[in-house]
Amino acid sequence: GIQVEQSPPDLILQEGANSTLRCNFSDSVNNLQWFHQNPWGQLINLFYIPSGTKQNGRLSATTVATERYSLLYISSSQTTDSGVYFCAVVGSSAGGTSYGKLTFGQGTILTVHP
Amino acid sequence: SAVISQKPSRDICQRGTSLTIQCQVDSQVTMMFWYRQQPGQSLTLIATANQGSEATYESGFVIDKFPISRPNLTFSTLTVSNMSPEDSSIYLCSVRFGDTEAFFGQGTRLTVV
């Protein structure tokens, strides 16, 4: 199946700093999403971005599908940005019993200090 | 988008018992998914629940341990059977509308003692 690798695994920032999280995937994808998991375990949808660039406030994301990677940018970080950021994909070749299956990366643990 | 209500939000259970987790969606959806997140780990798909047919389980997960019901297009349950401490995890249900964005419930944090 498709492999998803995220980097860095851990990131520690001071409030106000900017950061870039990376997601590499091993095959072409139909779907790519970025999630933020808060300390209570809830997954918050950040971006649905199988290709192109999107922005939402201080967050933006870019997916270069032909080169099989996606980037999540966080600007002017705040303590509330702390948590785990996951990238998840559905491979284009997924079919049959794997239809619609999201494969998750291992996540980036972000800690923002005041 | 979708509003997904998952119950219970957390529970502490004795080993050997079973827990049923409910997932209710505010609109009809063909496919629902159940994921497990073990402590400090990423999410792993347990099974895909299709209305009107048997659930499709991923490698390493079996129906006897994780029976799933899907009685209609807005509701599903996952049961964790004969629990052991290794089953302590967050369990999440998810939906997708066609080949688009996935949405998740708030999760059920299970601790087995």
Short mmCIF file of all heavy atoms in Angstrom, two decimals, chain B residues 48-86:
data_model
loop_
_atom_site.label_atom_id
_atom_site.label_comp_id
_atom_site.label_asym_id
_atom_site.label_seq_id
_atom_site.Cartn_x
_atom_site.Cartn_y
_atom_site.Cartn_z
N THR B 48 -14.16 -0.96 7.16
CA THR B 48 -15.09 -0.12 6.42
C THR B 48 -16.48 -0.71 6.59
O THR B 48 -16.68 -1.91 6.35
CB THR B 48 -14.72 -0.08 4.92
OG1 THR B 48 -13.38 0.40 4.80
CG2 THR B 48 -15.66 0.82 4.15
N ALA B 49 -17.42 0.14 6.99
CA ALA B 49 -18.78 -0.33 7.27
C ALA B 49 -19.72 0.16 6.17
O ALA B 49 -19.95 1.36 6.03
CB ALA B 49 -19.24 0.20 8.62
N ASN B 50 -20.24 -0.76 5.39
CA ASN B 50 -21.17 -0.43 4.32
C ASN B 50 -22.57 -0.84 4.72
O ASN B 50 -22.79 -1.94 5.25
CB ASN B 50 -20.78 -1.16 3.03
CG ASN B 50 -19.37 -0.82 2.58
OD1 ASN B 50 -18.97 0.32 2.63
ND2 ASN B 50 -18.63 -1.82 2.17
N GLN B 51 -23.53 0.02 4.45
CA GLN B 51 -24.90 -0.29 4.80
C GLN B 51 -25.41 -1.44 3.95
O GLN B 51 -25.24 -1.44 2.73
CB GLN B 51 -25.78 0.95 4.61
CG GLN B 51 -27.14 0.83 5.27
CD GLN B 51 -28.21 0.27 4.34
OE1 GLN B 51 -28.07 0.38 3.13
NE2 GLN B 51 -29.24 -0.32 4.89
N GLY B 52 -25.98 -2.43 4.59
CA GLY B 52 -26.58 -3.55 3.87
C GLY B 52 -25.62 -4.67 3.54
O GLY B 52 -26.00 -5.62 2.84
N SER B 53 -24.39 -4.59 3.99
CA SER B 53 -23.45 -5.67 3.73
C SER B 53 -22.50 -5.82 4.92
O SER B 53 -22.46 -4.96 5.81
CB SER B 53 -22.66 -5.41 2.45
OG SER B 53 -21.87 -4.26 2.58
N GLU B 54 -21.76 -6.89 4.90
CA GLU B 54 -20.79 -7.12 5.97
C GLU B 54 -19.67 -6.08 5.91
O GLU B 54 -19.28 -5.64 4.82
CB GLU B 54 -20.17 -8.52 5.84
CG GLU B 54 -21.13 -9.67 6.10
CD GLU B 54 -21.45 -9.80 7.58
OE1 GLU B 54 -20.57 -9.50 8.41
OE2 GLU B 54 -22.59 -10.20 7.90
N ALA B 55 -19.16 -5.72 7.06
CA ALA B 55 -18.03 -4.80 7.09
C ALA B 55 -16.80 -5.47 6.49
O ALA B 55 -16.65 -6.69 6.53
CB ALA B 55 -17.75 -4.37 8.53
N THR B 56 -15.92 -4.66 5.94
CA THR B 56 -14.67 -5.13 5.37
C THR B 56 -13.53 -4.79 6.33
O THR B 56 -13.29 -3.61 6.58
CB THR B 56 -14.41 -4.48 4.01
OG1 THR B 56 -15.51 -4.77 3.13
CG2 THR B 56 -13.12 -5.02 3.40
N TYR B 57 -12.84 -5.81 6.82
CA TYR B 57 -11.82 -5.62 7.84
C TYR B 57 -10.42 -5.56 7.22
O TYR B 57 -10.12 -6.28 6.27
CB TYR B 57 -11.89 -6.75 8.88
CG TYR B 57 -13.11 -6.65 9.76
CD1 TYR B 57 -14.35 -7.14 9.34
CD2 TYR B 57 -13.04 -6.04 11.01
CE1 TYR B 57 -15.47 -7.01 10.13
CE2 TYR B 57 -14.16 -5.91 11.81
CZ TYR B 57 -15.38 -6.40 11.36
OH TYR B 57 -16.49 -6.27 12.15
N GLU B 58 -9.59 -4.72 7.83
CA GLU B 58 -8.19 -4.63 7.43
C GLU B 58 -7.40 -5.77 8.04
O GLU B 58 -7.83 -6.40 9.01
CB GLU B 58 -7.61 -3.28 7.85
CG GLU B 58 -8.27 -2.10 7.18
CD GLU B 58 -8.07 -2.09 5.68
OE1 GLU B 58 -6.91 -2.10 5.24
OE2 GLU B 58 -9.08 -2.05 4.94
N SER B 59 -6.22 -5.98 7.46
CA SER B 59 -5.35 -7.02 7.98
C SER B 59 -5.04 -6.78 9.45
O SER B 59 -4.70 -5.66 9.85
CB SER B 59 -4.06 -7.05 7.16
OG SER B 59 -3.14 -7.98 7.68
N GLY B 60 -5.16 -7.83 10.25
CA GLY B 60 -4.88 -7.71 11.67
C GLY B 60 -6.10 -7.46 12.53
O GLY B 60 -6.00 -7.48 13.76
N PHE B 61 -7.25 -7.24 11.91
CA PHE B 61 -8.49 -7.00 12.64
C PHE B 61 -9.52 -8.04 12.21
O PHE B 61 -9.65 -8.32 11.01
CB PHE B 61 -9.02 -5.59 12.37
CG PHE B 61 -8.11 -4.50 12.84
CD1 PHE B 61 -7.22 -3.90 11.95
CD2 PHE B 61 -8.12 -4.08 14.16
CE1 PHE B 61 -6.37 -2.91 12.38
CE2 PHE B 61 -7.28 -3.07 14.59
CZ PHE B 61 -6.39 -2.49 13.70
N VAL B 62 -10.24 -8.62 13.18
CA VAL B 62 -11.20 -9.68 12.88
C VAL B 62 -12.56 -9.34 13.45
O VAL B 62 -12.68 -8.64 14.47
CB VAL B 62 -10.72 -11.04 13.41
CG1 VAL B 62 -9.45 -11.48 12.69
CG2 VAL B 62 -10.49 -11.01 14.91
N ILE B 63 -13.57 -9.91 12.81
CA ILE B 63 -14.95 -9.60 13.16
C ILE B 63 -15.30 -10.05 14.58
O ILE B 63 -16.07 -9.39 15.26
CB ILE B 63 -15.92 -10.22 12.13
CG1 ILE B 63 -17.36 -9.75 12.37
CG2 ILE B 63 -15.82 -11.73 12.12
CD1 ILE B 63 -18.32 -10.14 11.28
N ASP B 64 -14.73 -11.15 15.04
CA ASP B 64 -15.05 -11.64 16.37
C ASP B 64 -14.59 -10.65 17.44
O ASP B 64 -15.21 -10.56 18.50
CB ASP B 64 -14.41 -13.00 16.62
CG ASP B 64 -15.05 -14.10 15.80
OD1 ASP B 64 -16.16 -13.86 15.26
OD2 ASP B 64 -14.46 -15.19 15.69
N LYS B 65 -13.52 -9.95 17.19
CA LYS B 65 -12.97 -9.01 18.15
C LYS B 65 -13.62 -7.62 18.01
O LYS B 65 -13.86 -6.95 19.01
CB LYS B 65 -11.46 -8.88 17.94
CG LYS B 65 -10.76 -7.87 18.82
CD LYS B 65 -10.78 -8.28 20.29
CE LYS B 65 -9.97 -7.29 21.12
NZ LYS B 65 -10.03 -7.64 22.57
N PHE B 66 -13.92 -7.24 16.78
CA PHE B 66 -14.45 -5.91 16.50
C PHE B 66 -15.72 -6.00 15.63
O PHE B 66 -15.74 -5.53 14.50
CB PHE B 66 -13.41 -5.04 15.78
CG PHE B 66 -12.16 -4.80 16.56
CD1 PHE B 66 -11.00 -5.51 16.31
CD2 PHE B 66 -12.13 -3.83 17.57
CE1 PHE B 66 -9.84 -5.28 17.03
CE2 PHE B 66 -10.98 -3.57 18.29
CZ PHE B 66 -9.83 -4.31 18.03
N PRO B 67 -16.78 -6.57 16.15
CA PRO B 67 -18.00 -6.64 15.35
C PRO B 67 -18.57 -5.25 15.09
O PRO B 67 -18.53 -4.37 15.96
CB PRO B 67 -18.96 -7.49 16.20
CG PRO B 67 -18.39 -7.45 17.58
CD PRO B 67 -16.92 -7.25 17.45
N ILE B 68 -19.07 -5.05 13.89
CA ILE B 68 -19.58 -3.76 13.44
C ILE B 68 -21.00 -3.93 12.93
O ILE B 68 -21.31 -4.90 12.24
CB ILE B 68 -18.70 -3.18 12.32
CG1 ILE B 68 -17.34 -2.73 12.87
CG2 ILE B 68 -19.39 -2.04 11.58
CD1 ILE B 68 -16.33 -2.34 11.81
N SER B 69 -21.86 -3.00 13.28
CA SER B 69 -23.20 -2.97 12.71
C SER B 69 -23.38 -1.69 11.92
O SER B 69 -22.77 -0.66 12.22
CB SER B 69 -24.27 -3.06 13.81
OG SER B 69 -24.42 -1.81 14.46
N ARG B 70 -24.22 -1.77 10.86
CA ARG B 70 -24.52 -0.59 10.04
C ARG B 70 -25.99 -0.72 9.61
O ARG B 70 -26.28 -1.06 8.47
CB ARG B 70 -23.59 -0.56 8.82
CG ARG B 70 -23.76 0.65 7.96
CD ARG B 70 -23.10 1.86 8.51
NE ARG B 70 -23.63 3.07 7.92
CZ ARG B 70 -23.21 3.61 6.76
NH1 ARG B 70 -22.26 3.01 6.08
NH2 ARG B 70 -23.76 4.71 6.32
N PRO B 71 -26.89 -0.44 10.53
CA PRO B 71 -28.31 -0.69 10.24
C PRO B 71 -28.93 0.27 9.24
O PRO B 71 -29.94 -0.06 8.62
CB PRO B 71 -28.98 -0.54 11.61
CG PRO B 71 -28.06 0.37 12.37
CD PRO B 71 -26.68 0.03 11.89
N ASN B 72 -28.37 1.47 9.09
CA ASN B 72 -28.90 2.44 8.12
C ASN B 72 -27.79 3.37 7.66
O ASN B 72 -26.62 3.19 8.05
CB ASN B 72 -30.07 3.22 8.75
CG ASN B 72 -29.67 3.93 10.03
OD1 ASN B 72 -28.70 4.69 10.04
ND2 ASN B 72 -30.41 3.69 11.11
N LEU B 73 -28.15 4.37 6.87
CA LEU B 73 -27.14 5.22 6.23
C LEU B 73 -26.62 6.34 7.13
O LEU B 73 -25.80 7.14 6.69
CB LEU B 73 -27.71 5.81 4.94
CG LEU B 73 -27.93 4.82 3.80
CD1 LEU B 73 -28.63 5.50 2.63
CD2 LEU B 73 -26.61 4.22 3.34
N THR B 74 -27.10 6.42 8.37
CA THR B 74 -26.63 7.49 9.25
C THR B 74 -26.05 6.98 10.56
O THR B 74 -25.67 7.76 11.43
CB THR B 74 -27.78 8.46 9.60
OG1 THR B 74 -28.79 7.75 10.33
CG2 THR B 74 -28.37 9.08 8.34
N PHE B 75 -25.96 5.67 10.74
CA PHE B 75 -25.59 5.13 12.05
C PHE B 75 -24.73 3.88 11.90
O PHE B 75 -24.94 3.06 11.00
CB PHE B 75 -26.87 4.80 12.83
CG PHE B 75 -26.64 4.38 14.26
CD1 PHE B 75 -26.36 5.32 15.24
CD2 PHE B 75 -26.70 3.04 14.61
CE1 PHE B 75 -26.15 4.94 16.55
CE2 PHE B 75 -26.49 2.65 15.93
CZ PHE B 75 -26.22 3.61 16.90
N SER B 76 -23.78 3.74 12.84
CA SER B 76 -22.96 2.54 12.90
C SER B 76 -22.49 2.33 14.34
O SER B 76 -22.41 3.29 15.12
CB SER B 76 -21.74 2.65 11.97
OG SER B 76 -20.92 1.49 12.06
N THR B 77 -22.20 1.10 14.68
CA THR B 77 -21.60 0.79 15.97
C THR B 77 -20.38 -0.09 15.77
O THR B 77 -20.32 -0.90 14.85
CB THR B 77 -22.57 0.08 16.93
OG1 THR B 77 -22.87 -1.21 16.43
CG2 THR B 77 -23.83 0.89 17.14
N LEU B 78 -19.41 0.10 16.66
CA LEU B 78 -18.24 -0.76 16.75
C LEU B 78 -18.20 -1.31 18.16
O LEU B 78 -18.29 -0.55 19.13
CB LEU B 78 -16.96 0.05 16.48
CG LEU B 78 -15.64 -0.66 16.79
CD1 LEU B 78 -15.33 -1.70 15.73
CD2 LEU B 78 -14.49 0.34 16.91
N THR B 79 -18.07 -2.62 18.29
CA THR B 79 -17.92 -3.25 19.60
C THR B 79 -16.50 -3.75 19.75
O THR B 79 -15.95 -4.37 18.83
CB THR B 79 -18.92 -4.42 19.76
OG1 THR B 79 -20.26 -3.91 19.66
CG2 THR B 79 -18.74 -5.10 21.11
N VAL B 80 -15.90 -3.44 20.88
CA VAL B 80 -14.60 -3.99 21.23
C VAL B 80 -14.87 -5.10 22.22
O VAL B 80 -15.36 -4.84 23.34
CB VAL B 80 -13.67 -2.92 21.83
CG1 VAL B 80 -12.27 -3.49 22.04
CG2 VAL B 80 -13.60 -1.69 20.93
N SER B 81 -14.59 -6.34 21.82
CA SER B 81 -15.01 -7.50 22.60
C SER B 81 -13.87 -8.08 23.43
O SER B 81 -12.69 -7.98 23.06
CB SER B 81 -15.52 -8.60 21.65
OG SER B 81 -16.57 -8.14 20.84
N ASN B 82 -14.25 -8.69 24.54
CA ASN B 82 -13.29 -9.40 25.39
C ASN B 82 -12.01 -8.58 25.56
O ASN B 82 -10.91 -8.99 25.19
CB ASN B 82 -12.97 -10.77 24.79
CG ASN B 82 -12.14 -11.64 25.71
OD1 ASN B 82 -12.14 -11.46 26.93
ND2 ASN B 82 -11.39 -12.57 25.13
N MET B 83 -12.18 -7.40 26.10
CA MET B 83 -11.10 -6.42 26.13
C MET B 83 -9.93 -6.80 27.02
O MET B 83 -10.10 -7.45 28.06
CB MET B 83 -11.67 -5.06 26.57
CG MET B 83 -12.54 -4.41 25.50
SD MET B 83 -13.12 -2.80 25.97
CE MET B 83 -14.37 -3.23 27.19
N SER B 84 -8.77 -6.38 26.60
CA SER B 84 -7.53 -6.49 27.37
C SER B 84 -6.89 -5.10 27.43
O SER B 84 -7.27 -4.21 26.65
CB SER B 84 -6.58 -7.50 26.72
OG SER B 84 -6.14 -7.01 25.48
N PRO B 85 -5.91 -4.92 28.31
CA PRO B 85 -5.26 -3.59 28.38
C PRO B 85 -4.69 -3.12 27.04
O PRO B 85 -4.61 -1.91 26.80
CB PRO B 85 -4.16 -3.80 29.42
CG PRO B 85 -4.73 -4.85 30.32
CD PRO B 85 -5.48 -5.79 29.41
N GLU B 86 -4.33 -4.07 26.16
CA GLU B 86 -3.78 -3.70 24.85
C GLU B 86 -4.83 -3.02 23.95
O GLU B 86 -4.48 -2.43 22.93
CB GLU B 86 -3.23 -4.93 24.13
CG GLU B 86 -1.98 -5.53 24.76
CD GLU B 86 -2.26 -6.21 26.09
OE1 GLU B 86 -3.35 -6.80 26.26
OE2 GLU B 86 -1.37 -6.13 26.98
#
